[in-house]
């Protein structure tokens, strides 16, 4: 088994290894979206190593909801959102991660300092990650993959990483780039979908499903990704002019504050799986780049993701009828027409 630093796409191969029974996926980030973006990789690991147990190292409290229907995910380790304020908890978690022995540990993202630190910390027979080109960062790898050929999208890059590391020789690396993508997946049950449809129908004033054609809007995102409330208000006004019979429903963020007009139907729930099911019951969910956009995508909703600061090539919803649009300079009327056309 060769160490990193060679010129091939992957230093060595996982082909022919002894059975992989315990896997660690290292993505210590507290954002909901970044956990959901791991679900294609988890699906790939399920297919490749059906007898393995997968431990996910993430952050925040969303892990149990995201991975509830992934039976091979047997443990979730969550770093707190502000780790520097909880040094004791962080040290206990690092100590716990140091104890087991893993057959395979994965740092799934290019240039993640925290992921690479944890990859060096855990005890693993095989450690794979993207090559940095920096000796101290790459030395920990048993299988280093050149990031130059990886897809831009942050849900698909980890698939390329794993598939390339699994290849028998570097000449086959192109196959990893052209292999089918895997979508984000929340794996909602039929009961959960019914509950989501019932919750949305109630928000629209209906006694029960079916839910009529409707537009869902989530008008919150962090930092520069957030469109102003008055811009969203103009979008809603334009939608009402163009299709007065189609209701618009606001999905309210966790802080409980509405961003849109008080006369709109609204829905809020802290239950992420119920929320995902309600999002999937809309005709189209319109959102900026945020965790709820990815939640809707993973739930199977038709999603229109609007981008103004981050790149759609990296974060756009991946569903077959969804799209990511660069909307920073978009005119309100044309954007509303685009939303209605998606119905």
């Amino acid at each position: 088994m060769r160490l990193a630093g060679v010129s091939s796409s992957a230093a060595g191969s996982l082909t022919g290894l002894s059975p992989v029974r315990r896997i660690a996926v290292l993505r210590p980030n507290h954002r909901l979206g970044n956990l959901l973006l791991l679900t294609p990789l988890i699906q790939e690991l399920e297919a490749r190593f059906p007898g393995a147990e997968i431990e996910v190292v993430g952050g925040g409290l969303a892990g149990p909801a995201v991975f509830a229907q992934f039976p091979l995910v047997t443990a979730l380790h969550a770093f707190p959102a502000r780790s520097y304020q909880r040094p004791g908890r962080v040290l206990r978690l690092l100590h716990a991660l140091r104890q087991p022995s893993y057959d395979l540990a994965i740092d799934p993202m290019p240039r993640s300092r925290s992921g690479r630190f944890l990859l060096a910390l855990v005890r693993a027979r095989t450690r794979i990650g993207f090559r940095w080109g920096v000796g101290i960062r790459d030395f920990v790898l048993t299988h280093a993959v050149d990031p130059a050929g990886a897809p831009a999208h942050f849900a698909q890059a980890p698939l390329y990483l794993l598939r390339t590391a699994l290849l028998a020789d570097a000449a086959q690396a192109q196959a990893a780039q052209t292999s089918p993508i895997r979508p984000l997946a929340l794996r909602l049950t039929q009961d959960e979908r019914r509950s989501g449809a019932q919750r949305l129908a109630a928000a629209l004033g209906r006694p029960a499903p079916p839910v009529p054609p409707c537009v869902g809007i989530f008008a919150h995102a962090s930092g520069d990704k957030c469109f102003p409330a008055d811009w969203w208000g103009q979008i809603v006004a334009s939608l009402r002019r163009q299709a007065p019979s189609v209701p618009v429903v606001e999905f309210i963020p966790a802080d409980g504050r509405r961003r849109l007009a008080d006369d709109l139907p609204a829905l809020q729930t802290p239950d992420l799986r119920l929320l995902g099911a309600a999002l999937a019951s809309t005709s189209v969910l319109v959102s900026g780049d945020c965790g709820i956009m990815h939640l809707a995508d993973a739930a199977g909703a038709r999603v229109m993701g609007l981008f103004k600061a981050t790149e759609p090539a990296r974060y756009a919803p991946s569903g077959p009828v969804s799209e990511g649009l660069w909307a920073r300079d978009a005119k309100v009327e044309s954007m509303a027409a685009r939303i209605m056309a998606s119905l």
Side-chain angles (χ1 to χ4, degrees):
M1 189 178 293
R2 292 176 290 166
L3 290 177
V6 300
S7 59
S8 62
S9 294
S13 164
L14 299 187
T15 303
L17 283 182
S18 56
V20 174
R21 296 189 175 90
R22 193 169 192 177
I23 301 170
V25 177
L26 309 170
R27 186 71 169 104
N29 185 287
H30 71 280
R31 294 188 183 277
L32 169 63
N34 285 325
L35 271 184
L36 289 160
L37 288 167
L38 282 180
T39 57
L41 174 63
I42 302 302
Q43 295 172 68
E44 186 80 3
L45 289 169
E46 287 178 327
R48 301 272 185 174
F49 308 110
E53 295 182 353
I54 303 169
E55 299 185 22
V56 177
V57 181
L61 303 176
V66 171
F67 298 110
Q69 293 297 318
F70 287 83
L72 296 193
V73 176
T74 58
L76 295 164
H77 307 279
F79 281 87
R82 295 180 178 84
S83 297
Y84 61 89
Q85 295 180 348
R86 300 172 176 85
R89 179 176 168 184
V90 171
L91 288 174
R92 287 192 295 273
L93 179 52
L94 293 176
H95 178 73
L97 290 173
R98 181 66 180 165
Q99 301 313 302
S101 293
Y102 298 98
D103 300 301
L104 173 62
I106 305 171
D107 171 13
M109 301 305 301
R111 297 279 172 171
S112 169
R113 294 176 186 272
S114 54
R116 190 55 50 92
F117 168 76
L118 290 179
L119 193 66
L121 174 78
V122 299
R123 295 191 297 163
R125 185 178 76 237
T126 302
R127 298 181 298 276
I128 70 173
F130 286 107
R131 181 182 294 111
W132 286 37
V134 178
I136 194 171
R137 299 291 186 182
D138 292 343
F139 183 76
V140 65
L141 299 173
T142 60
H143 296 69
V145 173
D146 187 346
H153 201 283
F154 278 7
Q156 304 307 318
L159 290 185
Y160 176 88
L161 171 70
L162 180 65
R163 289 167 175 173
T164 303
L166 285 166
L167 294 173
D169 59 76
Q172 296 174 292
Q174 185 64 25
Q177 190 171 10
T178 58
S179 297
I181 67 170
R182 292 185 183 273
L184 275 64
L186 195 58
R187 293 181 174 174
L188 293 169
T189 68
Q190 288 303 313
D191 285 345
E192 287 173 330
R193 292 191 181 279
R194 280 192 291 270
S195 295
Q198 290 168 357
R199 188 65 178 269
L200 181 57
L204 293 171
R206 302 276 179 141
V211 176
C214 65
V215 176
I217 292 180
F218 186 77
H220 177 66
S222 61
D224 293 341
K225 297 184 290 185
C226 189
F227 289 87
D230 60 348
W231 185 86
W232 283 112
Q234 294 175 51
I235 291 288
V236 172
S238 182
L239 289 172
R240 285 174 156 176
R241 287 192 297 272
Q242 295 186 38
S245 64
V246 176
V248 177
V249 58
E250 179 182 7
F251 288 85
I252 301 176
D255 62 13
R257 292 192 300 109
R258 299 188 64 146
R259 269 61 172 179
L260 305 180
D262 289 341
D263 63 338
L264 286 179
L267 188 155
Q268 183 190 27
T269 173
D271 184 329
L272 285 178
R273 296 188 67 83
L274 178 60
L275 176 57
L279 293 166
S281 297
T282 62
S283 304
V284 59
L285 186 281
V286 187
S287 171
D289 176 18
C290 63
I292 299 303
M293 180 194 76
H294 295 300
L295 182 70
D297 188 25
R302 179 191 295 268
V303 183
M304 183 173 289
L306 306 183
F307 291 76
K308 65 190 286 281
T310 46
E311 291 292 334
R314 292 186 173 185
Y315 297 104
S318 58
V321 294
S322 297
E323 56 185 330
L325 302 175
W326 188 250
R328 183 172 56 190
D329 302 316
K331 294 182 179 180
V332 167
E333 292 295 331
S334 62
M335 182 58 63
R338 185 73 175 265
I339 293 169
M340 294 311 304
S342 71
L343 296 177

